[in-house]
Every structure is written in structure tokens, then in C-alpha cells.
Amino acid sequence: MSTPAAPAHHRPLRADARRNRERILDAARAVFAESGLDAQMEDLARRAGVGVGTVYRHFPTKEALVDALVEDYFAQLDAEARQALEVADPWEAFAGYIWRAAELLGHNRALVQVTADGQMREGAERQGLHETIGRLIERAQRAGVLRPDVGSDDVPMIMCSIGRVQMLGGAAGAEGWRRHLAIMLDGLRTASATPLPD
Amino acid sequence: MSTPAAPAHHRPLRADARRNRERILDAARAVFAESGLDAQMEDLARRAGVGVGTVYRHFPTKEALVDALVEDYFAQLDAEARQALEVADPWEAFAGYIWRAAELLGHNRALVQVTADGQMREGAERQGLHETIGRLIERAQRAGVLRPDVGSDDVPMIMCSIGRVQMLGGAAGAEGWRRHLAIMLDGLRTASATPLPD
DNA sequence: TGACAACCGGAATCGTCCTTCCGTATAGTC
DNA sequence: GACTATACGGAAGGACGATTCCGGTTGTCA
């Protein structure tokens, strides 16, 4: 979708190759979302209707393929964050972004695993997102609706923890994470602020 | 430590076997805490100063070994919860338990992985803990210091999410989880309650 | 249509563990 | 001190998955 095609300074791909590349990405999205990082390359290939060899001609390693999807995810987050900046109410803007980001995460098992493996690598996109979030936070804090002692570094932590809760099967149900996030957000409102440790 | 020795209805272990069993458990605690579930049996054996074969004579599979440690962990949680019940201030009792449980979790990488793999299997001990936590919650709610719309099912979710944050490397630092938990607890206080979804 | 580079499928390869097996060593006993 | 049931070490076996390789296809262009 927002994934860039092959590098521009290469001769264009042959039609079948281009088609396969798309199929592979689609299959990857589906398989990794469902089964997480340990989805197998062969399943992925079967799902895409190609041989494993073909997958490897387009993406040198499994990791590279995952990276492509992660990139995609951050691009979406970035878009959400920018849109949030347009929302009038500062709390709605901030909380709304968090909710939407969580929703995005909740649909993808592999994403939770990757972001939680503590990677959180930098990268231009990631940096920009971080700043946008910083702006959302500042705005809410200036409006006095968000506790003043949190910063944009707390957001990845929140996303990480929500992701984890989303992966919990059965018991609390796949929907329990909404309760969890609601509580967390209540904890972020100024009204409830108690001094944070450190 | 609190791990029961081999089943009582077996003839007692030979002295060297008993000693090795302890060494293996110690090594397992250390290795799994450090490296998580994918610590390797051979490393563990080396650390214990025995051969892999010996590890397998004491524990039929890697999983069994992990289970033993998990059992241990829940026993500790159980003890903490009972002690918390003795604390006079209802909020201190509840929050104190959560903090201590988190502290326990934070020292063990494998534990986080296991509990988060959504297992949360039942078992007498698990059941008892669940009830004790229920009592802690009720007490705090009756005292009006804990939001009335949470239940003991929310606690595993909280532990899970905290565990995840604890595993985050670098950036927010290994200590960021305290901030996170503090915020969560603020969200749990009655003062901040906003209706929960569902 | 013919020629050829670009592609493809999927069997075979390689690595990484967990687990098993068996010859050897030793605690416990007479 | 000798005997034997137990226990030990660590090499070998097996399973599973990512990645590589190469003989066979198929777009593309003249």
C-alpha cells in the first residue's frame, strides 16, 4: 500500500515479477498478522501462490520482509498522528491517536512482537512520529488535560504494553485490552496525577 | 527454594543426584531469568556444572523445567498476596501487592514470556491467588479507593503489560516500567474513574 | 516469431536446538 | 573391599525452518 516498490534506480520489474511482489506482500501482511513472527516462509509462499525461491528473490531474508511491514505500520501511525493534530479538542486529539494506534496494533501479531522486542530502531519516519506525538502531548498539557510529568517517551511504552494485552488469548477475551487502555488513559488525565517515581 | 523436591512416594534420591537437582534448578533460575525462554539446555547444563543428560534425568523436558520455575513464581505471588491482606490501609494493600508482584516479574525474562503467552493455566495455586486478589480488590473498593468497575481478571492483564514494558531495552531504560505502573495505578484510583468500555 | 534475459518453483542444504542413548563412574550396602 | 542399582557425561539422532541453487519458464523486444 504505502510500501515503496523496488528501488527506482533499477530497471523496472517485469510484469509477472511486479505482480508477485504484491502478492507476497499481501500474503506477508496476512500471515504475520495472524501467526506473528514465527509464521513460516513456506506458508507465506503458499499463501501468495508462489514458490519460496520467489519470495527470496524479492526479499533477501525473512527479516527484510518483516521490516517492510513495520515500515508500513509506522507510516500509518505517522498519518494518524498528523490527523490527530487537526482535532480541536486537545484531549480528544491525544487520546484519539492512542486509541487508533492501538487499534492498528491489535490487528497484527507480528507487529506487537517486533515493537516489543525493544527494537524501536530510529529512522527518519520514526523520528518524525516521535515529534508529532510530542506536539500532541504538549498541546494537551498546556490545555491542562494531560498530566505534566509524561513525555513522548512514555508513548512507546504504552503501545508496547497494550500490544501485549491484546495478544492475551481467551480468558479476558480479545477485547479486554480496551478496558486496560481506558484505565491507562484515566491515569494520564491530570485529575488523577500522583507524583511519578524517578 | 520453595520448589518441592522429587515426589515423596519415590525412594530418596542418591546424594549426588539431590545435589545436582538443586544445581540444575539454580542454573535454570539464572539462565531463564537472563535469557528468557530460549535459553538453551546446554548452556543451562554447563552453568549447573552437569551434562545435558543429567538435566533430562531430572526434568523430562525443557517445558517441565520451566513449569517448575513458574510454579515457584506463583507460590511467591501467593505469599505476597496473603501478606498484603494483612496491611491495614486498603489501597496500600492492593497497590503494594501489585508493586511487589511487578518487582518479582521484573527479575525474570522467561516469566514474562510464559505469562504473556496467554497460558495463565489454572491450577490450585493459581486459583487461590486469584481469590486472594479478589479479596484485596473488594476491600479497596469498599473503602472507596479503587474504582468499582475493575475485577480480579484485570490484574493478570496489568501484570502482563508491565512485564512487557520491563523487557524493553535501552531507551526508556530498564526503570521506565515504574513510571508506567504508577500511571496505571493512578488510573485505578476512584478519583480518576471514567466509565470503562464494554 | 525467435532469442534471451529475467523469473520461477521447490528440492536439497545448512544450522540450530531439543532429546535420546549408552558406555562409564559412583553412592550405598553387606 | 566388592557388588549393584543409580546416576553421569556428552556424542549422536531428529525435527524444524530459513536460505540457496539450478533446471525449466515466460515476458519483452526486435
mmCIF file of all heavy atoms in Angstrom, chain B residues 105-124:
data_model
loop_
_atom_site.group_PDB
_atom_site.id
_atom_site.type_symbol
_atom_site.label_atom_id
_atom_site.label_comp_id
_atom_site.label_asym_id
_atom_site.label_seq_id
_atom_site.Cartn_x
_atom_site.Cartn_y
_atom_site.Cartn_z
ATOM 1 N N LEU B 105 8.381 -10.058 38.870
ATOM 2 C CA LEU B 105 8.337 -10.333 37.443
ATOM 3 C C LEU B 105 9.536 -9.720 36.729
ATOM 4 O O LEU B 105 10.117 -10.323 35.841
ATOM 5 C CB LEU B 105 7.043 -9.754 36.870
ATOM 6 C CG LEU B 105 6.620 -10.216 35.492
ATOM 7 C CD1 LEU B 105 6.407 -11.710 35.484
ATOM 8 C CD2 LEU B 105 5.350 -9.494 35.074
ATOM 9 N N GLY B 106 9.876 -8.532 37.171
ATOM 10 C CA GLY B 106 10.932 -7.784 36.502
ATOM 11 C C GLY B 106 12.284 -8.460 36.532
ATOM 12 O O GLY B 106 13.164 -8.151 35.740
ATOM 13 N N HIS B 107 12.452 -9.393 37.444
ATOM 14 C CA HIS B 107 13.744 -10.059 37.526
ATOM 15 C C HIS B 107 13.807 -11.288 36.656
ATOM 16 O O HIS B 107 14.781 -12.007 36.669
ATOM 17 C CB HIS B 107 14.025 -10.448 38.980
ATOM 18 C CG HIS B 107 14.283 -9.270 39.848
ATOM 19 N ND1 HIS B 107 15.224 -8.318 39.531
ATOM 20 C CD2 HIS B 107 13.707 -8.858 40.993
ATOM 21 C CE1 HIS B 107 15.232 -7.386 40.465
ATOM 22 N NE2 HIS B 107 14.312 -7.679 41.359
ATOM 23 N N ASN B 108 12.752 -11.553 35.938
ATOM 24 C CA ASN B 108 12.728 -12.815 35.208
ATOM 25 C C ASN B 108 12.126 -12.770 33.812
ATOM 26 O O ASN B 108 10.920 -12.741 33.623
ATOM 27 C CB ASN B 108 11.988 -13.845 36.043
ATOM 28 C CG ASN B 108 12.346 -15.236 35.606
ATOM 29 O OD1 ASN B 108 12.417 -15.504 34.424
ATOM 30 N ND2 ASN B 108 12.568 -16.107 36.559
ATOM 31 N N ARG B 109 13.025 -12.774 32.858
ATOM 32 C CA ARG B 109 12.640 -12.677 31.463
ATOM 33 C C ARG B 109 11.709 -13.795 31.004
ATOM 34 O O ARG B 109 10.721 -13.564 30.303
ATOM 35 C CB ARG B 109 13.907 -12.723 30.627
ATOM 36 C CG ARG B 109 13.883 -11.827 29.435
ATOM 37 C CD ARG B 109 15.236 -11.796 28.755
ATOM 38 N NE ARG B 109 15.098 -11.011 27.547
ATOM 39 C CZ ARG B 109 15.047 -9.682 27.523
ATOM 40 N NH1 ARG B 109 15.149 -9.014 28.654
ATOM 41 N NH2 ARG B 109 14.892 -9.033 26.390
ATOM 42 N N ALA B 110 12.024 -14.999 31.415
ATOM 43 C CA ALA B 110 11.226 -16.146 30.972
ATOM 44 C C ALA B 110 9.804 -16.068 31.509
ATOM 45 O O ALA B 110 8.842 -16.402 30.823
ATOM 46 C CB ALA B 110 11.881 -17.449 31.416
ATOM 47 N N LEU B 111 9.694 -15.593 32.711
ATOM 48 C CA LEU B 111 8.385 -15.494 33.333
ATOM 49 C C LEU B 111 7.469 -14.584 32.534
ATOM 50 O O LEU B 111 6.304 -14.893 32.310
ATOM 51 C CB LEU B 111 8.558 -14.924 34.741
ATOM 52 C CG LEU B 111 8.079 -15.769 35.904
ATOM 53 C CD1 LEU B 111 8.273 -17.241 35.621
ATOM 54 C CD2 LEU B 111 8.790 -15.366 37.173
ATOM 55 N N VAL B 112 8.030 -13.484 32.124
ATOM 56 C CA VAL B 112 7.243 -12.550 31.331
ATOM 57 C C VAL B 112 6.748 -13.250 30.072
ATOM 58 O O VAL B 112 5.579 -13.162 29.716
ATOM 59 C CB VAL B 112 8.076 -11.326 30.928
ATOM 60 C CG1 VAL B 112 7.301 -10.460 29.962
ATOM 61 C CG2 VAL B 112 8.462 -10.528 32.168
ATOM 62 N N GLN B 113 7.653 -13.978 29.434
ATOM 63 C CA GLN B 113 7.262 -14.663 28.205
ATOM 64 C C GLN B 113 6.178 -15.693 28.448
ATOM 65 O O GLN B 113 5.213 -15.779 27.714
ATOM 66 C CB GLN B 113 8.490 -15.325 27.581
ATOM 67 C CG GLN B 113 9.458 -14.322 27.007
ATOM 68 C CD GLN B 113 10.703 -15.000 26.475
ATOM 69 O OE1 GLN B 113 11.565 -15.441 27.231
ATOM 70 N NE2 GLN B 113 10.798 -15.090 25.166
ATOM 71 N N VAL B 114 6.338 -16.474 29.481
ATOM 72 C CA VAL B 114 5.360 -17.514 29.755
ATOM 73 C C VAL B 114 3.993 -16.930 30.099
ATOM 74 O O VAL B 114 2.990 -17.289 29.492
ATOM 75 C CB VAL B 114 5.806 -18.410 30.929
ATOM 76 C CG1 VAL B 114 4.685 -19.350 31.319
ATOM 77 C CG2 VAL B 114 7.031 -19.199 30.531
ATOM 78 N N THR B 115 3.974 -16.030 31.041
ATOM 79 C CA THR B 115 2.681 -15.492 31.453
ATOM 80 C C THR B 115 2.011 -14.752 30.313
ATOM 81 O O THR B 115 0.796 -14.712 30.225
ATOM 82 C CB THR B 115 2.821 -14.529 32.643
ATOM 83 O OG1 THR B 115 3.698 -13.485 32.271
ATOM 84 C CG2 THR B 115 3.358 -15.249 33.857
ATOM 85 N N ALA B 116 2.809 -14.204 29.439
ATOM 86 C CA ALA B 116 2.221 -13.447 28.356
ATOM 87 C C ALA B 116 1.813 -14.323 27.189
ATOM 88 O O ALA B 116 1.037 -13.915 26.351
ATOM 89 C CB ALA B 116 3.182 -12.371 27.886
ATOM 90 N N ASP B 117 2.328 -15.521 27.147
ATOM 91 C CA ASP B 117 1.920 -16.405 26.066
ATOM 92 C C ASP B 117 0.473 -16.813 26.296
ATOM 93 O O ASP B 117 -0.034 -17.746 25.672
ATOM 94 C CB ASP B 117 2.822 -17.639 25.971
ATOM 95 C CG ASP B 117 4.050 -17.326 25.112
ATOM 96 O OD1 ASP B 117 4.068 -16.236 24.524
ATOM 97 O OD2 ASP B 117 4.953 -18.162 25.034
ATOM 98 N N GLY B 118 -0.120 -16.081 27.169
ATOM 99 C CA GLY B 118 -1.555 -16.261 27.349
ATOM 100 C C GLY B 118 -1.928 -17.542 28.054
ATOM 101 O O GLY B 118 -3.093 -17.893 28.144
ATOM 102 N N GLN B 119 -0.946 -18.245 28.541
ATOM 103 C CA GLN B 119 -1.242 -19.517 29.193
ATOM 104 C C GLN B 119 -2.153 -19.276 30.384
ATOM 105 O O GLN B 119 -3.318 -19.618 30.372
ATOM 106 C CB GLN B 119 0.055 -20.173 29.666
ATOM 107 C CG GLN B 119 1.177 -20.048 28.656
ATOM 108 C CD GLN B 119 1.163 -21.180 27.649
ATOM 109 O OE1 GLN B 119 0.204 -21.920 27.563
ATOM 110 N NE2 GLN B 119 2.213 -21.294 26.874
ATOM 111 N N MET B 120 -1.577 -18.700 31.448
ATOM 112 C CA MET B 120 -2.421 -18.408 32.601
ATOM 113 C C MET B 120 -3.252 -19.629 32.976
ATOM 114 O O MET B 120 -4.410 -19.554 33.315
ATOM 115 C CB MET B 120 -3.400 -17.265 32.277
ATOM 116 C CG MET B 120 -2.752 -15.929 32.160
ATOM 117 S SD MET B 120 -2.047 -15.443 33.724
ATOM 118 C CE MET B 120 -0.734 -14.366 33.152
ATOM 119 N N ARG B 121 -2.651 -20.796 32.806
ATOM 120 C CA ARG B 121 -3.383 -22.032 33.096
ATOM 121 C C ARG B 121 -3.906 -21.984 34.525
ATOM 122 O O ARG B 121 -3.337 -21.351 35.390
ATOM 123 C CB ARG B 121 -2.436 -23.216 32.972
ATOM 124 C CG ARG B 121 -1.494 -23.025 31.795
ATOM 125 C CD ARG B 121 -0.238 -23.824 31.993
ATOM 126 N NE ARG B 121 0.662 -23.550 30.869
ATOM 127 C CZ ARG B 121 1.614 -24.369 30.496
ATOM 128 N NH1 ARG B 121 1.789 -25.496 31.134
ATOM 129 N NH2 ARG B 121 2.399 -24.050 29.489
ATOM 130 N N GLU B 122 -4.918 -22.757 34.736
ATOM 131 C CA GLU B 122 -5.457 -22.814 36.091
ATOM 132 C C GLU B 122 -4.539 -23.692 36.939
ATOM 133 O O GLU B 122 -3.386 -23.921 36.603
ATOM 134 C CB GLU B 122 -6.876 -23.361 36.054
ATOM 135 C CG GLU B 122 -6.974 -24.818 35.736
ATOM 136 C CD GLU B 122 -6.204 -25.183 34.472
ATOM 137 O OE1 GLU B 122 -6.387 -24.553 33.411
ATOM 138 O OE2 GLU B 122 -5.390 -26.110 34.580
ATOM 139 N N GLY B 123 -5.052 -24.204 38.004
ATOM 140 C CA GLY B 123 -4.211 -24.933 38.948
ATOM 141 C C GLY B 123 -4.559 -24.418 40.319
ATOM 142 O O GLY B 123 -4.859 -23.233 40.469
ATOM 143 N N ALA B 124 -4.550 -25.317 41.278
ATOM 144 C CA ALA B 124 -4.987 -24.968 42.628
ATOM 145 C C ALA B 124 -4.367 -23.651 43.092
ATOM 146 O O ALA B 124 -5.059 -22.737 43.535
ATOM 147 C CB ALA B 124 -4.616 -26.089 43.582
#
